[in-house]
Amino acid sequence: MNRRFALLQVVFSVIALAAVVWWASHQEAPTFPHTGRAIGWMAAAALLYALATAVRAERWHRILAITGVHAPRVDCYALTTVGYMGNNVLPARAGELLRVVLLDQRVKAGKRTLLGTIVAERALDLLVLAAMFLTVGYGVLKGHALPHQTFAHPLVLLAVLAVLVAGAIAAFVVLRSRGMLERVRELARPLAGALRALWGRAGLPLVLVTVLLWCIEGSVYLAVAHALQLNFSISGCLYLVGLTNFVAALPAAPGSIGTFDAAVAFGARVLGGSGGLVVSYVILLRFILYVPITIVGLVMLVVRYGGFARLRDITRVQQTSSA
């Protein structure tokens, strides 16, 4: 990975994490569930996230089938957990490449073709999350006072949007002048097969499955809130899902350290949470979303795919054959 990009990730995470730690140090001490009811809600949150992971794996299996890749369902389930484990412990969301390399060893479909199916997954997620965030988020924010109103002023948001558009245009002009767009187009052509396969009748069921997937994930946020007796609505939790996942797209250290926590803390405050309860919510939600799947993914990598040593061997062979 490019060292400058790695440094950018670290800087983003350190700044975000420092802000969260500074804010949390000025709140009451966090409290954690200890009653039977609260522990039951936490167990429900873990089971719901396991269900969301199964739906995500089944969706990938269907995308692969539509693309013409006949992958065993068990590999789709196992590699989904391996991918999330990789994203949580390796830089640059390397878990996605783990999925591609390890599945390619099984089905020999070509790494770019397999990477295209993951691009299709992300396109579905972006489509549904954007629609959900715009529709649910408007209703949620309309009924709550935003912290630091200045940053939510329409003129400020419009100025930020204008800067982003200007930056995108400038990048396009520079890339085009250097002839890089043609190279990007050549590299991206094999990835587009999965996206083209989603058009029409095959794509609509996958959109509906993606809506179901993010609703289940929203229920995870809701269950953790119930464990702490935070009065969050399901629409508020869907707003949190959209917010945290958009922020997770920013460059950050493995596991979205700092950026995820800052997004959850901000969103929970918008929904009416305060003090130590929000700190507790951030800690418990991170535990549910990151710890179990990382452990399961690591076990799958070691037991089924030979561990990181096997992955290094595969990488060396591929580099030698392409040299």
Side-chain angles (χ1 to χ4, degrees):
M1 184 178 60
N2 184 282
R3 291 183 179 181
R4 292 180 181 177
F5 184 65
L7 179 61
L8 180 65
Q9 289 182 310
V10 172
V11 169
F12 262 84
S13 282
V14 168
I15 292 174
L17 188 60
V20 171
V21 171
W22 178 87
W23 170 79
S25 67
H26 291 78
Q27 311 303 316
E28 298 89 356
T31 58
F32 299 105
H34 58 277
T35 66
R37 177 181 176 277
I39 294 173
W41 277 115
M42 289 298 296
L47 290 174
L48 285 167
Y49 193 63
L51 176 61
T53 303
V55 172
R56 190 172 277 114
E58 191 63 34
R59 182 186 64 173
W60 186 34
H61 182 263
R62 180 56 183 162
I63 293 173
L64 287 164
I66 293 173
T67 311
V69 179
H70 302 289
R73 181 174 273 107
V74 64
D75 280 318
C76 293
Y77 279 68
L79 287 175
T80 295
T81 64
V82 170
Y84 272 79
M85 180 276 299
N87 289 341
N88 294 342
V89 302
L90 299 174
R93 298 187 67 84
E96 310 295 18
L97 296 180
L98 276 177
R99 284 204 281 166
V100 168
V101 172
L102 293 174
L103 184 60
D104 186 50
Q105 289 296 303
R106 302 264 174 159
V107 300
K108 306 297 182 182
K111 287 182 284 297
R112 287 193 186 178
T113 299
L114 296 178
L115 187 59
T117 65
I118 294 176
V119 172
E121 279 189 303
R122 295 297 162 258
L124 286 168
D125 289 336
L126 179 61
L127 173 68
V128 171
L129 282 171
M132 184 174 69
F133 188 70
L134 291 175
T135 55
V136 177
Y138 175 77
V140 169
L141 297 180
K142 187 172 66 173
H144 293 83
L146 283 172
H148 309 299
Q149 289 281 354
T150 302
F151 295 103
H153 194 281
L155 291 179
V156 175
L157 296 179
L158 185 61
V160 172
L161 179 62
V163 171
L164 292 176
V165 171
I169 293 174
F172 176 81
V173 171
V174 171
L175 291 174
R176 185 176 183 181
S177 66
R178 296 184 177 182
M180 295 180 65
L181 290 181
E182 191 63 34
R183 279 179 283 173
V184 171
R185 191 179 296 114
E186 289 298 322
L187 289 172
R189 187 171 288 117
L191 307 182
L195 291 174
R196 287 195 297 268
L198 297 184
W199 288 105
R201 295 181 180 179
L204 181 58
L206 289 172
V207 172
L208 297 178
V209 169
T210 304
V211 172
L212 173 63
L213 165 63
W214 289 111
C215 287
I216 295 173
E217 189 138 335
S219 67
V220 175
Y221 284 60
L222 184 64
V224 176
H226 281 324
L228 293 168
Q229 297 184 344
L230 283 167
N231 189 27
F232 293 170
S233 63
I234 183 60
S235 60
C237 290
L238 289 175
Y239 156 76
L240 268 180
V241 168
L243 176 64
T244 54
N245 280 275
F246 280 123
V247 172
L250 294 172
S256 299
I257 294 174
T259 54
F260 170 85
D261 312 277
V264 174
F266 176 84
R269 289 181 63 207
V270 169
L271 297 178
S274 61
L277 281 179
V278 172
V279 178
S280 303
Y281 186 67
V282 172
I283 295 172
L284 292 179
L285 190 60
R286 172 171 279 283
F287 176 84
I288 290 294
L289 296 180
Y290 286 86
V291 175
I293 197 168
T294 299
I295 295 173
V296 173
L298 183 59
V299 171
M300 289 293 107
L301 179 64
V302 172
V303 172
R304 187 172 176 84
Y305 300 101
F308 285 105
R310 171 61 177 158
L311 186 62
R312 286 195 298 269
D313 292 339
I314 293 172
T315 304
R316 290 194 190 99
V317 169
Q318 290 173 341
Q319 289 175 340
T320 302
S321 62
S322 61

